[in-house]
Amino acid sequence: MKFFSFFCLVLCLSACQSRNDSVILYTFPAEAPKSESYNVLINDVDYYVYPAPVADIVNFGIKGEVRIAVTPSVRINSVDIRPKSAKVKYEVDDNTIFITLSKPQFLSVEVNGDTKRPLLLFANAPETDIPDRNNPDVLFFEAGKMYDTGRFEVKSNQTVYFAPGSIVLGSIISDHTENVRVLGRGMLSGANFQKGESRMIELDRVKNVTVEGITIIDCKHWTMPLMGCDNVLIKDVKIVTGNDWDDGVDVVGSRNVTIDGCFIRTKDDCIAIKAGITYFTDFDTQFVVDNVTVKNCICWNAEWGNGLEIGFETRADTIKNVVFENIDMIHVEGNPVMDEATFTIHNGDRAVVENILYKNIRVEDPEILLVDFQIMESKYSKDTTRGKIANVRMEDITVTTKEPVRSKLIGFDENSDIRNVYIKNMTINGKKILSPEDMNLSEEFVTDVRFE
């Protein structure tokens, strides 16, 4: 009997060790605020939940199968886990949601249809590139500590590292630099800024830059503008904010940009591609935009703005070769007064916007407009001539919606028109779209719209 008891104890310890080996639990500052909306256990360990203004956040690392128990402060009537394409299985027992994950992924857990305070689960891949804290070119924010830095500058060949569990109240600017890296699993917060006071990570005329892994919250201006940059990688970044002007990533007059595997929840545009703006800068960005890829992302466009936006400022000769691929739009709320949309090209200046691909995109519960491509004179326009939109392909687009949605293709005149739009394998609530009527599409100054 003693041997049997010892054998059971060994098995139990082995199982506990196995569970601990599957997860990386971060250490957070003791003084950090704590959630009043959710209690979370990860592999039976009581775990920290950060209360951001528009969501509660759980950040951890995952190496194997992880069991998560989520107990909200309200009685559970329904549960949605998005993106729905992830097909995450869960159980509800005694007012607790039990979720099992086995790979890195970013999820929104919404109880009783509440989109104002979801729980965001960020199961991060283990880090593979931790810089040397003793390197003089590394700015190292330690795990379990909170910092108030204000706005700080990053120079060429420097790395900023946010250790898992660090919380930094501040923002970053880098101008006329090269070989810049911002890494880690920590958090950058704009909580101490006023509206319009600072962008969170502003990259001006930077060549060769990587931003990877961090969580950015409570942005009071554009979250991450890339102004006149070249060779940029934004990877596995989580953006959670709900303020005016809080665009997620703005690609402005930049080239060779990849945005990969990010979670972006904003009040304003999730992704915006522009050229020629001078807001809060001392230089013009009227540079050709070329070779931009947004892939493997999860986007939530909240109260205003657009989901995947090109425009309104298009002050360059061309904006071309833009790819949006394998994206989940888990909410597209928009403002009915502004006619905002999921897929938008708002060409308000002279640019020829061409060679745009939307592929393998899943849209959940869009409101107002689905597609809005327009050539226009808007309040943001400065060029005296209007441009064109040409060669747009939308392929393998799946839309599920509770309410009917509209779409618009509106050119400016016969010289500034929309040409060659190809829509292949788009479905709305399971119905394949084969005509303008099928998607409630309005057209003006448009040539050659094809469906398949």
Side-chain angles (χ1 to χ4, degrees):
M1 181 66 79
K2 289 183 179 179
F3 174 78
F4 180 76
S5 298
F6 176 76
F7 180 69
C8 290
L9 178 61
V10 170
L11 284 179
C12 180
L13 290 174
S14 177
C16 290
Q17 183 64 44
S18 177
R19 286 200 301 270
N20 290 336
D21 286 345
S22 70
V23 68
I24 305 168
L25 301 180
Y26 305 156
T27 301
F28 292 89
E31 67 271 32
K34 295 176 175 59
S35 171
E36 298 180 357
S37 301
Y38 298 94
N39 184 74
V40 171
L41 301 179
I42 299 182
N43 285 358
D44 300 321
V45 176
D46 192 12
Y47 196 61
Y48 176 73
V49 182
Y50 184 92
V54 293
D56 288 68
I57 299 172
V58 175
N59 247 320
F60 61 97
I62 186 169
K63 298 188 290 182
E65 187 171 279
V66 174
R67 178 82 161 169
I68 304 168
V70 177
T71 305
S73 60
V74 299
R75 176 59 53 183
I76 299 172
N77 297 316
S78 66
V79 177
D80 285 319
I81 299 181
R82 300 174 190 255
K84 292 183 177 179
S85 67
K87 298 181 181 179
V88 173
K89 294 182 179 179
Y90 66 90
E91 301 171 351
V92 178
D93 184 36
D94 194 23
N95 212 57
T96 296
I97 307 162
F98 294 94
I99 303 168
T100 300
L101 303 179
S102 58
K103 64 181 180 180
Q105 59 190 131
F106 306 147
L107 303 169
S108 174
V109 180
E110 300 161 16
V111 176
N112 304 338
D114 183 4
T115 57
K116 301 303 180 185
R117 181 147 292 280
L119 179 69
L120 303 181
L121 297 178
F122 296 149
N124 300 288
E127 294 180 278
T128 59
D129 188 7
I130 300 175
D132 180 1
R133 64 182 305 156
N134 296 314
N135 185 328
D137 287 325
V138 173
L139 179 58
F140 197 106
F141 294 107
E142 296 182 28
K145 292 188 177 181
M146 184 173 284
Y147 301 81
D148 186 352
T149 64
R151 196 180 197 212
F152 62 92
E153 183 178 0
V154 179
K155 299 178 181 179
S156 290
N157 304 308
Q158 288 189 328
T159 295
V160 184
Y161 178 67
F162 296 81
S166 62
I167 300 176
V168 178
L169 303 172
S171 66
I172 294 170
I173 184 169
S174 191
D175 186 11
H176 260 138
T177 57
E178 61 182 1
N179 307 323
V180 168
R181 300 192 304 162
V182 180
L183 309 174
R185 299 292 187 269
M187 183 179 293
L188 179 65
S189 170
N192 284 358
F193 294 120
Q194 300 299 313
K195 177 179 176 179
E197 184 177 357
S198 181
R199 296 160 173 172
M200 295 302 294
I201 300 180
E202 180 171 348
L203 302 169
D204 297 341
R205 298 169 286 196
V206 181
K207 185 176 182 180
N208 303 329
V209 59
T210 297
V211 182
E212 187 268 333
I214 69 170
T215 300
I216 308 174
I217 66 164
D218 204 6
C219 315
K220 304 297 175 39
H221 203 293
W222 289 1
T223 305
M224 199 183 314
L226 316 175
M227 312 276 286
C229 295
D230 189 5
N231 194 21
V232 179
L233 174 62
I234 312 296
K235 184 173 177 59
D236 295 338
V237 170
K238 289 78 67 180
I239 296 172
V240 182
T241 181
N243 298 304
D244 299 356
W245 311 341
D246 66 351
D247 292 8
V249 182
D250 290 86
V251 181
V252 185
S254 293
R255 297 151 303 286
N256 305 313
V257 175
T258 299
I259 302 166
D260 183 8
C262 296
F263 182 101
I264 302 174
R265 191 279 184 208
T266 56
K267 180 178 181 179
D268 212 330
D269 303 334
C270 293
I271 302 290
I273 298 174
K274 306 172 181 284
I277 69 164
T278 54
Y279 313 137
F280 298 94
T281 60
D282 60 359
F283 68 98
D284 203 338
T285 59
Q286 295 193 49
F287 310 121
V288 168
V289 177
D290 189 9
N291 189 27
V292 177
T293 298
V294 182
K295 62 182 180 179
N296 309 320
C297 292
I298 299 167
C299 295
W300 179 337
N301 170 225
E303 294 89 339
W304 66 19
N306 303 280
L308 306 176
E309 159 83 324
I310 298 176
F312 283 77
E313 304 88 343
T314 56
R315 291 185 285 280
D317 292 337
T318 56
I319 295 175
K320 61 183 180 178
N321 302 325
V322 178
V323 175
F324 300 98
E325 184 172 9
N326 191 32
I327 295 172
D328 285 280
M329 307 295 300
I330 62 173
H331 293 286
V332 187
E333 299 175 29
N335 184 334
V337 176
M338 299 297 292
D339 253 4
E340 292 163 333
T342 303
F343 306 105
T344 57
I345 301 175
H346 293 135
N347 191 351
D349 290 290
R350 71 179 188 273
V352 175
V353 179
E354 60 182 351
N355 301 337
I356 313 299
L357 173 64
Y358 304 88
K359 184 175 182 179
N360 190 22
I361 299 176
R362 298 156 294 277
V363 185
E364 302 175 22
D365 300 334
E367 301 179 22
I368 311 163
L369 290 170
L370 179 63
V371 177
D372 185 19
F373 299 164
Q374 293 192 57
I375 302 169
M376 64 180 70
E377 184 172 353
S378 78
K379 64 180 180 180
Y380 304 106
S381 299
K382 290 188 177 180
D383 287 342
T384 57
T385 59
R386 304 277 72 79
K388 295 178 179 291
I389 298 173
N391 304 325
V392 180
R393 185 181 180 98
M394 308 188 76
E395 183 173 348
D396 300 329
I397 311 294
T398 302
V399 182
T400 55
T401 177
K402 297 172 185 175
E403 301 292 336
V405 290
R406 299 175 290 115
S407 293
K408 295 192 296 186
L409 303 180
I410 307 294
F412 188 76
D413 57 28
E414 292 180 353
N415 294 317
S416 297
D417 61 355
I418 300 174
R419 292 177 176 268
N420 300 328
V421 177
Y422 181 40
I423 299 174
K424 179 181 180 181
N425 196 28
M426 174 188 283
T427 62
I428 299 179
N429 291 338
K431 179 182 178 181
K432 190 168 184 178
I433 304 304
L434 294 172
S435 70
E437 292 74 21
D438 287 344
M439 61 184 299
N440 197 8
L441 175 65
S442 301
E443 299 178 62
E444 188 173 352
F445 298 115
V446 178
T447 301
D448 196 12
V449 179
R450 293 169 291 152
F451 296 86
E452 182 180 335

